[in-house]
Amino acid sequence: MIGTWLSILPPVIAIVMVLTTKRVLLSLGAGILSAALLVASFAPVETLTQLGKALIVSFWTDGEVNTYNIFIMLFILFLGVITALVSLSGGSRAFAEWAVTRIRTRRSAKLLTMVLGIAIFVDDYFNALAVGQIARPITDRHKISRAKLAYFIDSTSAPICVISPVSSWGAFLIGQLAIILATTASVNYSPLSAFLMMAPMNFYVIATLAMVFFFAWTNIDFFAMKDHENRAEEKGELFDPEKEIPGQLKDEFPEHSHGRVRDLVAPIVTLVVVTLASMVITGYRIGGELNLWSIFENTDVPLSLVIGGLAGTAIAVILYASQFKVNQTASAGLIGRAFVSGVKAMMPAVLILILAWSLTHLIDILETGLFLSEVVAKSNIPVAFLPVVLFVLAGLMAFSTGTSWGSFGILLPIAGTIMVNAAPELLLPALSAVLAGAVFGDHCSPISDTTILSSTGAGSNHIDHVATQLPYALMAAGIATGGYIVLGLTGSIWMGLAAVIIILAALFTVWNVRNSKKAVNVIAE
C-alpha cells in the first residue's frame, strides 16, 4: 500500500473530518489510525506498534531525543506563560490603552499587523507566534476578529520567508537549489542568484501579499470572514467563547491599575532580541563563518526560540515582582498560578501539533508525496503547462501532508529533472511554481504546523482560522494559476506577472465598486 493511491486516504480522512466535525483532535486521530492500518497492512499488533511509534515521534526519533519538536513545544508553552504574566501585571491593558491613543483606527491596526508580519521574516514559526503577541492587544481593542488576525499572520509569515534569502527558509531553499543546479550545465547562475530571480515568479506570494494589503486597507471581507468581522465590530465578539481557543487564558487575575506599557513591551522585545541573537550565535558556531548565508543555513531555530522564550519569561517575572511594594494584590503565589494558566492555555495547540506531526510521520512512510509527484512525472503534459501543473501538484502535496518543506524536498528535485530535460528556459519558473504551490497548500491545510501556530499566535479557534482563510487562499491560488498559464504559453515571466497584476487590479476594482454601492444603499435605507 506504500506509494499507491491508498496513501492519500489518511490525510483526506483527517482533512474531511476536520472540516465536517470541527473537532481537530478527533479528526487527526482518525487520520493517524487509518495511516497506521495502511502501514501495517491491517495487522492488529503491527498497527498498535505503528501507532505507538507515531505518537512518540515528537519526542523520540531515529534513536535519539527529538529536540527540534520538543523545543518548538517548549517555546509555545513559554509564550503562554509570558501572556499570562503580562496579563497578571496589567501590561496587556496598559499597552492596549497606550496603543489606542496612537493607533486610532481599525485600518491602522490591521496595517500594523501586516507590517509586523513582513518585518519579522527570519522564520515562520517565530513570525506566527511573535506577531500575535504584539498585535493582539491592539487588534482586540479595535474589535478586529481573531480569525482576521490569524489570516494576517499566516498570510505574511510563510510568503515572506519563502522569498527572503535571509531566513531559515531561504537558507534551506538555496541549499536545495545548489543541488539541482549542480546537475545541469544549461544554467550559469549561482544558487543565491537563482533564488533572488525566482522571487518575482512566485505569483501566489505576490497575489497573497497584495490581497493582505487590500483587506487591511479596506473594510471588505467575504464568506465566513465577513461574519466574524461583523460580529466583532458590531457585538464586540472577537471569537466564539464556546470554542477551544489556544492561548486564551481561563483564569481571572486580580484587576489593578499598576500595569505599565513596559510590562508587555519589555518581555516581547527581550524575546525577539534574544531569539535573533541566539540564531546568529548558533548559526556561527555550527557554520564557522561570519556571513549571513552561512549563519541562516546552519542556525538552530528551535533552540534559539527556547532561549528567547526563557529570557522573555524571566523579564516578565522580574517586572511583575517589581510591583510587590506598590500593588497590594501582587504575590509570588500568583506567579505560580500564571505559569499554570499559561501552560493550560497552550496545551490544545501543543496536542494538535503532536498529532499533526504523528500523522505527517506516517504519511511520510506511506510516501504520499512521492506518489503524487510520480503521477505527474509519468504523464505526457505539454511543456507550456508544466509550471501550472507543478503549482497545483505542490499545492495538493502540501495540503495532503501538512508540510511545505516536505513538499519542497520531494518535488523540487523532480521538477528540476523534468524541466532540465524538457525546457531548461522554464527551469526557474517551474521551481518557483513549486515553492508557490507548497505555500498555498500549507495555507489551506488544517494539519499544517504553521497554520496551527498562526491560529495559536492569534488566539483564534483553529477551525475558524482554516475556514476563514481558505477562500482567500483559493482566490490567490486562482490568480497565480492564471499567471502560470500565461507564463507557460508566452515563455515570458513578465507577461505572467503582468497577468497577475491585471487580475488583481480588476478584482480590487470590482470589490471596491460593489462595496461602495452597498454603502450607498445602506445610507439610502
Side-chain angles (χ1 to χ4, degrees):
M1 299 180 188
I2 293 175
T4 68
W5 67 270
L6 290 172
S7 66
I8 67 173
L9 286 180
V12 169
I13 289 171
I15 291 165
V16 170
M17 282 192 63
V18 163
L19 298 177
T20 54
T21 68
K22 315 297 183 187
R23 300 176 66 180
V24 182
L25 296 178
L26 175 64
S27 304
L28 287 172
I32 292 168
L33 177 59
S34 61
L37 286 167
L38 291 175
V39 170
S41 298
F42 295 93
V45 175
E46 181 61 20
T47 297
L48 292 175
T49 301
Q50 292 299 331
L51 280 173
K53 290 180 179 179
L55 291 173
I56 67 169
V57 75
S58 298
F59 309 94
W60 185 268
T61 184
D62 296 330
E64 59 185 23
V65 176
N66 188 341
T67 55
Y68 189 100
N69 288 0
I70 290 173
F71 286 160
I72 294 296
M73 290 185 281
L74 284 175
F75 179 64
I76 293 172
L77 296 179
F78 275 131
L79 273 182
V81 171
I82 291 172
T83 301
L85 288 168
V86 167
S87 176
L88 176 63
S89 67
S92 297
R93 186 173 67 177
F95 179 75
E97 291 172 352
W98 172 85
V100 165
T101 63
R102 290 155 178 81
I103 302 169
R104 300 178 181 177
T105 65
R106 296 182 87 244
R107 174 183 291 174
S108 298
K110 290 186 287 185
L111 289 173
L112 173 65
T113 304
M114 185 195 76
V115 170
L116 287 171
I118 293 173
I120 303 177
F121 54 79
V122 293
D123 183 72
D124 58 326
Y125 289 176
F126 182 40
N127 179 304
L129 295 167
V131 173
Q133 294 296 303
I134 299 169
R136 195 193 306 171
I138 302 171
T139 57
D140 280 0
R141 186 56 65 97
H142 284 284
K143 297 182 179 179
I144 297 167
S145 68
R146 296 285 181 81
K148 189 65 171 285
L149 175 59
Y151 164 68
F152 286 142
I153 292 172
D154 206 359
S155 294
T156 52
S157 56
I160 288 296
C161 289
V162 81
I163 60 173
S164 171
V166 187
S167 70
S168 55
W169 285 52
F172 170 76
L173 291 171
I174 289 170
Q176 291 288 302
L177 289 174
I179 297 171
I180 295 169
L181 297 177
T183 62
T184 176
S186 58
V187 293
N188 57 1
Y189 28 72
S190 68
L192 175 59
S193 299
F195 182 82
L196 295 174
M197 291 167 63
M198 287 164 59
M201 307 176 200
N202 197 319
F203 298 154
Y204 178 77
V205 165
I206 292 168
T208 296
L209 293 178
M211 288 175 60
V212 167
F213 177 79
F214 176 83
F215 291 123
W217 183 264
T218 67
N219 204 33
I220 297 172
D221 283 296
F222 302 105
F223 308 110
M225 185 73 81
K226 185 175 182 65
D227 295 335
H228 280 265
E229 282 292 274
N230 287 343
R231 193 162 57 244
E233 194 168 6
E234 296 170 6
K235 300 180 181 180
E237 297 177 0
L238 305 178
F239 54 87
D240 187 343
E242 296 182 0
K243 295 179 179 178
E244 191 70 64
I245 311 292
Q248 189 65 29
L249 301 175
K250 298 294 191 300
D251 290 346
E252 293 291 334
F253 298 114
E255 291 190 8
H256 58 85
S257 58
H258 299 284
R260 301 151 296 185
V261 172
R262 71 181 185 185
D263 291 330
L264 180 141
V265 173
I268 300 301
V269 169
T270 299
L271 182 150
V272 172
V273 171
V274 173
T275 298
L276 290 175
S278 298
M279 289 176 70
V280 172
I281 292 170
T282 56
Y284 173 69
R285 288 183 60 186
I286 297 172
E289 296 182 54
L290 196 59
N291 68 72
L292 286 176
W293 318 123
S294 175
I295 285 171
F296 278 94
E297 183 179 5
N298 294 286
T299 189
D300 191 334
V301 174
L303 175 60
S304 301
L305 289 174
V306 168
I307 295 172
L310 183 61
T313 301
I315 294 298
V317 170
I318 291 169
L319 288 172
Y320 177 68
S322 70
Q323 295 183 7
F324 284 176
K325 293 182 180 179
V326 295
N327 181 1
Q328 294 182 350
T329 66
S331 69
L334 284 175
I335 295 177
R337 182 173 150 189
F339 269 78
V340 173
S341 179
V343 170
K344 285 169 60 179
M346 288 301 185
M347 280 310 296
V350 171
L351 290 175
I352 292 172
L353 267 180
I354 290 172
L355 293 187
W357 283 329
S358 299
L359 180 57
T360 300
H361 166 74
L362 291 170
I363 288 172
D364 185 51
I365 294 175
L366 288 171
E367 298 182 353
T368 304
L370 188 59
F371 165 73
L372 291 172
S373 63
E374 287 179 349
V375 170
V376 170
K378 293 177 181 178
S379 60
N380 296 317
I381 300 171
V383 170
F385 292 103
L386 283 175
V388 71
V389 169
L390 288 169
F391 170 73
V392 173
L393 175 62
L396 288 172
M397 189 180 296
F399 181 75
S400 301
T401 60
T403 168
S404 49
W405 281 41
S407 303
F408 296 154
I410 293 171
L411 203 50
L412 281 175
I414 294 172
T417 301
I418 293 172
M419 299 313 298
V420 165
N421 293 313
E425 69 280 5
L426 292 177
L427 174 62
L428 294 189
L431 295 178
S432 189
V434 171
L435 303 187
V439 173
F440 160 56
D442 193 70
H443 272 169
C444 297
S445 178
I447 62 174
S448 160
D449 48 4
T450 49
T451 305
I452 295 165
L453 292 177
S454 294
S455 56
T456 302
S460 167
N461 175 263
H462 181 56
I463 299 305
D464 284 345
H465 170 44
V466 173
T468 51
Q469 178 168 265
L470 184 60
Y472 291 5
L474 289 171
M475 283 190 278
I479 295 166
T481 297
Y484 286 120
I485 290 174
V486 171
L487 186 155
L489 293 175
T490 63
S492 169
I493 297 163
W494 304 113
M495 289 292 288
L497 181 59
V500 169
I501 294 171
I502 290 170
I503 297 170
L504 283 168
L507 285 174
F508 292 166
T509 301
V510 170
W511 292 341
N512 267 321
V513 170
R514 287 184 176 179
N515 191 57
S516 299
K517 287 182 178 179
K518 287 181 181 178
V520 170
N521 291 335
V522 169
I523 294 172
E525 292 175 358

